[in-house]
């Protein structure tokens, strides 16, 4: 492994870390967008339900009005019949029926009044809701635009980084890329780590045998940590690899959460060699 190869691997990991960071940045927008939109969405859902209920209740009211009209017609006919009854028995029967119709009519009219009252209140509520929605949208709008534009910027940055990576990978040795990708399989972030001055792997802190340390420092072959499998580079890249551990921890936490959810386990040590 030449110095250039080591530089390439460190640079590739640096690009990948940036990509991970920007991907996280993009994901972080989702809960923010949800929070901003929620009040307006709650109001809109409330208004939608009220509108549906209002439609139903208007239909009920129309049915009731039809019933009232029909009963009034019956009442009129019975009144007429009462004027032309031929005997007491017939009069009693018509009177009883008339009384029943009157009672039913009274009930229907009472109910219609109560429904009309409900409709008026519901219409008032809907008006209030629509005003509140307009107001909420007015507040939400600018903040939403700000968030969406922030996310767009991050997405463009991600696109540019992915393009950078592609261009960079083209210049690299395909075998190195394969090894690098193999180490990172299963959500692992770190594929390259520095050999510390006292001869440990800066990723797992395992001691690297002196012979291998020597190879890393002076040799040309590609040396991997026997404990964790990362490609070892010289300490001079340590600064560039700072942040790798933190990024890896956060990614692994996420992986652990999604594994719990899916009930699967991923063998993170599976390496393509
Ligand atoms: Zn190690």
């Amino acid at each position: 492994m030449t110095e250039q190869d080591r530089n390439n691997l460190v640079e590739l990991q640096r690009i990948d870390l940036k990509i991970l960071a920007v991907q996280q940045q993009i994901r972080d927008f989702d809960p923010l967008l949800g929070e901003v939109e929620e009040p307006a969405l709650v109001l809109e859902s409330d208004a939608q339900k009220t509108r549906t209920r209002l439609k139903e209740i208007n239909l009920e009211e129309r049915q009731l009005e039809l019933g009232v009209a029909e009963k009034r017609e019956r009442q009129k006919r019975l009144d007429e019949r009462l004027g032309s009854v031929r005997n007491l028995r017939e009069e009693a029967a018509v009177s009883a029926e008339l009384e029943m119709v009157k009672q039913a009519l009274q009930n229907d009219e009472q109910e219609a009044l109560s429904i009309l009252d409900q409709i008026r209140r519901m219409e008032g509520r809907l008006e209030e809701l629509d005003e509140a929605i307009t107001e909420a949208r007015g507040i939400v709008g600018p903040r939403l635009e700000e968030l969406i534009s922030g996310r767009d910027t991050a997405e463009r940055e991600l696109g540019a980084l992915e393009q950078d990576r592609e261009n960079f990978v083209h210049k690299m040795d395909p075998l190195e890329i394969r090894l690098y990708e193999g180490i990172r399989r299963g959500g692992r972030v770190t594929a390259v780590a520095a050999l510390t001055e006292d001869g440990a792997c800066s990723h797992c802190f395992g001691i690297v045998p002196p012979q291998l340390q020597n190879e890393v420092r002076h040799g040309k072959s590609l040396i991997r940590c026997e404990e964790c499998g990362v490609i070892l580079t010289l300490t001079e890249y340590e600064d560039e690899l700072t942040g790798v551990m933190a990024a890896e921890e956060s990614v692994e936490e996420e992986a652990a959460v999604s594994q719990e959810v899916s009930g699967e386990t991923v063998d993170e040590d599976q390496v393509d060699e």
Side-chain angles (χ1 to χ4, degrees):
M1 188 158 91
T2 65
E3 282 306 294
Q4 188 54 50
D5 291 334
R6 281 179 178 146
N7 270 324
N8 284 348
L9 285 169
V10 170
E11 177 60 16
L12 181 59
Q13 181 154 293
R14 208 176 57 77
I15 294 172
D16 280 339
L17 282 176
K18 271 197 199 166
I19 287 176
L20 282 173
V22 175
Q23 281 170 339
Q24 182 59 48
Q25 216 179 314
I26 291 168
R27 276 197 299 274
D28 287 346
F29 276 105
D30 286 344
L32 292 178
L33 286 164
E35 262 170 45
V36 168
E37 277 204 292
E38 209 201 349
L41 291 178
V42 167
L43 288 171
E44 273 163 1
S45 142
D46 203 353
Q48 187 54 46
K49 278 181 207 146
T50 307
R51 222 164 245 126
T52 306
R53 181 70 193 119
L54 193 58
K55 229 183 239 175
E56 289 167 1
I57 211 169
N58 267 312
L59 204 64
E60 273 175 48
E61 204 274 331
R62 271 200 296 279
Q63 294 293 333
L64 210 55
E65 291 294 347
L66 286 176
V68 166
E70 185 253 343
K71 285 184 186 80
R72 279 196 185 125
E73 191 54 40
R74 262 177 79 196
Q75 187 186 10
K76 204 178 123 200
R77 281 202 309 271
L78 286 166
D79 270 335
E80 283 164 8
R81 260 180 72 191
L82 205 55
S84 60
V85 286
R86 284 157 299 178
N87 54 50
L88 281 175
R89 198 167 55 84
E90 201 182 335
E91 188 189 355
V94 173
S95 288
E97 197 183 343
L98 186 58
E99 203 44 52
M100 261 171 56
V101 171
K102 273 183 179 169
Q103 192 58 51
L105 188 58
Q106 210 181 346
N107 289 344
D108 279 5
E109 280 169 343
Q110 203 65 44
E111 206 184 330
L113 279 179
S114 135
I115 285 184
L116 282 172
D117 187 47
Q118 271 188 62
I119 289 174
R120 262 194 303 277
R121 271 185 287 129
M122 225 175 258
E123 280 169 348
R125 166 101 184 109
L126 202 54
E127 222 167 274
E128 280 170 21
L129 278 171
D130 284 340
E131 274 169 28
I133 288 168
T134 307
E135 201 191 324
R137 283 278 165 216
I139 297 166
V140 162
R143 176 77 181 123
L144 207 57
E145 271 171 34
E146 194 184 308
L147 285 172
I148 287 170
S149 122
R151 192 176 58 183
D152 286 350
T153 305
E155 271 165 359
R156 276 196 299 276
E157 198 184 336
L158 180 62
L161 280 169
E162 279 167 346
Q163 189 57 55
D164 282 353
R165 187 188 201 275
E166 214 183 302
N167 295 341
F168 191 74
V169 161
H170 268 300
K171 294 186 294 188
M172 286 179 72
D173 177 353
L175 281 175
E176 259 173 43
I177 298 293
R178 234 182 113 226
L179 178 66
Y180 176 89
E181 300 293 10
I183 295 172
R184 293 178 90 242
R185 193 167 298 157
R188 219 168 109 165
V189 173
T190 311
V192 184
L195 176 70
T196 66
E197 269 173 44
D198 46 3
C201 160
S202 64
H203 180 242
C204 71
F205 301 109
I207 293 297
V208 178
Q211 177 55 38
L212 292 182
Q213 287 181 36
N214 215 33
E215 280 286 311
V216 174
R217 292 203 171 97
H218 310 291
K220 294 252 181 271
S221 56
L222 194 146
I223 304 300
R224 298 177 59 186
C225 170
E226 291 179 328
E227 301 288 329
C228 70
V230 300
I231 300 161
L232 291 167
T233 69
L234 292 175
T235 43
E236 61 194 88
Y237 304 116
E238 206 162 26
D239 282 352
E240 282 162 288
L241 296 176
T242 305
V244 172
M245 298 290 282
E248 178 159 283
E249 271 165 26
S250 75
V251 167
E252 279 175 358
E253 270 166 33
E254 267 174 40
V257 169
S258 62
Q259 274 172 31
E260 271 171 33
V261 171
S262 66
E264 288 171 13
T265 55
V266 176
D267 183 4
E268 287 175 1
D269 291 328
Q270 188 188 3
V271 175
D272 202 9
E273 282 174 286

